[in-house]
Coordinates of all heavy atoms in Angstrom, one line a residue:
N1 N -25.0 76.6 63.7 CA -25.9 77.3 64.6 C -25.2 78.0 65.7 O -24.1 77.5 66.1 CB -27.0 76.3 65.2 CG -27.9 75.7 64.1 OD1 -28.3 76.4 63.2 ND2 -28.2 74.5 64.2
E2 N -25.8 79.0 66.2 CA -25.1 79.9 67.2 C -24.7 79.0 68.4 O -23.6 79.2 69.0 CB -26.0 81.0 67.7 CG -25.3 81.9 68.7 CD -24.1 82.6 68.2 OE1 -24.0 82.8 66.9 OE2 -23.2 82.8 69.0
N3 N -25.5 78.1 68.8 CA -25.2 77.3 70.0 C -24.2 76.2 69.7 O -23.8 75.4 70.6 CB -26.4 76.7 70.7 CG -27.2 75.8 69.7 OD1 -26.7 75.6 68.6 ND2 -28.4 75.3 70.1
Q4 N -23.7 76.1 68.5 CA -22.7 75.1 68.1 C -21.3 75.7 68.1 O -20.4 75.0 67.8 CB -23.0 74.6 66.7 CG -24.2 73.7 66.7 CD -24.5 73.2 65.3 OE1 -24.6 74.0 64.3 NE2 -24.7 71.9 65.1
I5 N -21.1 77.0 68.4 CA -19.8 77.5 68.6 C -19.4 77.3 70.0 O -20.0 77.9 70.9 CB -19.8 79.0 68.3 CG1 -20.2 79.2 66.8 CG2 -18.4 79.6 68.5 CD1 -20.1 80.7 66.3
V6 N -18.4 76.5 70.3 CA -18.0 76.0 71.6 C -16.8 76.7 72.1 O -15.7 76.4 71.7 CB -17.8 74.4 71.5 CG1 -17.6 74.0 73.0 CG2 -18.9 73.7 70.8
N7 N -17.1 77.7 73.0 CA -16.0 78.5 73.4 C -15.2 77.8 74.5 O -15.8 77.2 75.4 CB -16.5 79.8 74.0 CG -17.1 80.7 72.9 OD1 -16.5 80.9 71.9 ND2 -18.4 81.1 73.2
G8 N -13.9 77.9 74.5 CA -13.0 77.3 75.5 C -12.9 75.9 75.6 O -12.3 75.4 76.5
M9 N -13.4 75.1 74.7 CA -13.3 73.7 74.7 C -12.0 73.3 74.0 O -11.7 73.8 72.9 CB -14.5 73.0 74.1 CG -15.8 73.2 74.8 SD -17.1 72.2 74.2 CE -16.6 70.6 74.6
S10 N -11.3 72.3 74.5 CA -10.1 71.8 73.9 C -10.4 70.8 72.8 O -11.5 70.4 72.6 CB -9.3 71.1 75.0 OG -9.9 69.9 75.4
D11 N -9.4 70.5 72.0 CA -9.5 69.5 70.9 C -9.9 68.2 71.5 O -10.7 67.5 70.9 CB -8.2 69.4 70.1 CG -7.9 70.7 69.3 OD1 -8.8 71.5 69.1 OD2 -6.7 70.9 69.0
F12 N -9.4 67.9 72.7 CA -9.7 66.6 73.3 C -11.2 66.5 73.6 O -11.9 65.5 73.5 CB -8.9 66.4 74.5 CG -9.0 65.0 75.1 CD1 -8.3 63.9 74.7 CD2 -10.0 64.8 76.1 CE1 -8.5 62.6 75.2 CE2 -10.1 63.5 76.7 CZ -9.4 62.4 76.2
D13 N -11.8 67.7 74.1 CA -13.2 67.7 74.5 C -14.1 67.4 73.2 O -15.1 66.7 73.4 CB -13.6 69.0 75.1 CG -12.9 69.3 76.4 OD1 -12.7 68.4 77.1 OD2 -12.6 70.5 76.6
L14 N -13.6 67.8 72.1 CA -14.4 67.7 70.9 C -14.1 66.4 70.1 O -14.7 66.2 69.0 CB -14.2 68.9 69.9 CG -14.6 70.2 70.5 CD1 -14.1 71.4 69.7 CD2 -16.1 70.3 70.7
L15 N -13.2 65.6 70.7 CA -12.8 64.4 70.0 C -13.9 63.3 70.0 O -14.4 63.0 71.2 CB -11.6 63.8 70.6 CG -10.8 62.7 70.0 CD1 -10.3 63.1 68.6 CD2 -9.7 62.2 70.9
N16 N -14.4 62.9 68.9 CA -15.4 61.8 68.9 C -14.7 60.4 68.7 O -13.8 60.3 67.9 CB -16.4 62.0 67.7 CG -17.2 63.3 67.9 OD1 -17.6 63.6 69.0 ND2 -17.4 64.0 66.8
I17 N -15.2 59.5 69.5 CA -14.5 58.1 69.6 C -15.6 57.1 69.3 O -16.7 57.1 69.8 CB -13.9 57.9 71.0 CG1 -12.9 59.0 71.4 CG2 -13.3 56.5 71.1 CD1 -12.5 59.0 72.8
N18 N -15.2 56.1 68.4 CA -16.1 55.0 68.0 C -15.4 53.7 68.3 O -14.3 53.5 67.8 CB -16.4 55.2 66.6 CG -17.4 54.2 66.1 OD1 -18.2 53.6 67.0 ND2 -17.5 53.9 64.8
V19 N -15.9 52.9 69.1 CA -15.4 51.5 69.4 C -16.2 50.5 68.7 O -17.4 50.4 68.9 CB -15.4 51.2 70.9 CG1 -14.9 49.9 71.2 CG2 -14.6 52.3 71.7
Y20 N -15.6 49.7 67.8 CA -16.4 48.8 67.0 C -15.5 47.6 66.6 O -14.2 47.7 66.5 CB -16.9 49.5 65.7 CG -15.9 49.9 64.7 CD1 -15.6 49.2 63.6 CD2 -15.2 51.2 65.0 CE1 -14.6 49.6 62.7 CE2 -14.2 51.6 64.1 CZ -13.9 50.8 63.0 OH -13.0 51.2 62.1
P21 N -16.0 46.4 66.2 CA -17.4 46.0 66.5 C -17.6 45.9 68.0 O -16.6 45.7 68.7 CB -17.5 44.7 65.8 CG -16.1 44.2 65.7 CD -15.2 45.3 65.6
N22 N -18.8 46.1 68.4 CA -19.1 46.0 69.8 C -20.5 45.4 70.0 O -21.5 46.1 69.7 CB -19.0 47.4 70.5 CG -19.0 47.4 72.0 OD1 -19.0 46.3 72.6 ND2 -19.0 48.6 72.6
P23 N -20.6 44.2 70.4 CA -19.6 43.3 70.9 C -18.6 42.9 69.9 O -18.8 42.9 68.7 CB -20.4 42.1 71.4 CG -21.8 42.6 71.5 CD -22.0 43.6 70.5
A24 N -17.4 42.4 70.4 CA -16.3 42.0 69.6 C -15.8 40.6 70.0 O -16.0 40.2 71.1 CB -15.1 43.0 69.6
N25 N -15.1 39.9 69.0 CA -14.7 38.6 69.3 C -13.2 38.5 69.4 O -12.6 38.0 70.4 CB -15.3 37.6 68.3 CG -14.9 36.2 68.6 OD1 -14.7 35.8 69.7 ND2 -14.8 35.3 67.5

């Protein structure tokens, strides 16, 4: 979609992070 073209954002900005399991033992 047009609003999904992200101008000027770095790779770090677009990095998705997942912490699991959460809670963890």
Side-chain angles (χ1 to χ4, degrees):
N1 292 322
E2 182 59 32
N3 59 6
Q4 289 178 307
I5 298 180
V6 187
N7 295 311
M9 293 188 70
S10 67
D11 291 340
F12 186 85
D13 295 325
L14 298 171
L15 190 65
N16 293 321
I17 302 168
N18 185 24
V19 178
Y20 67 96
N22 193 3
N25 184 29

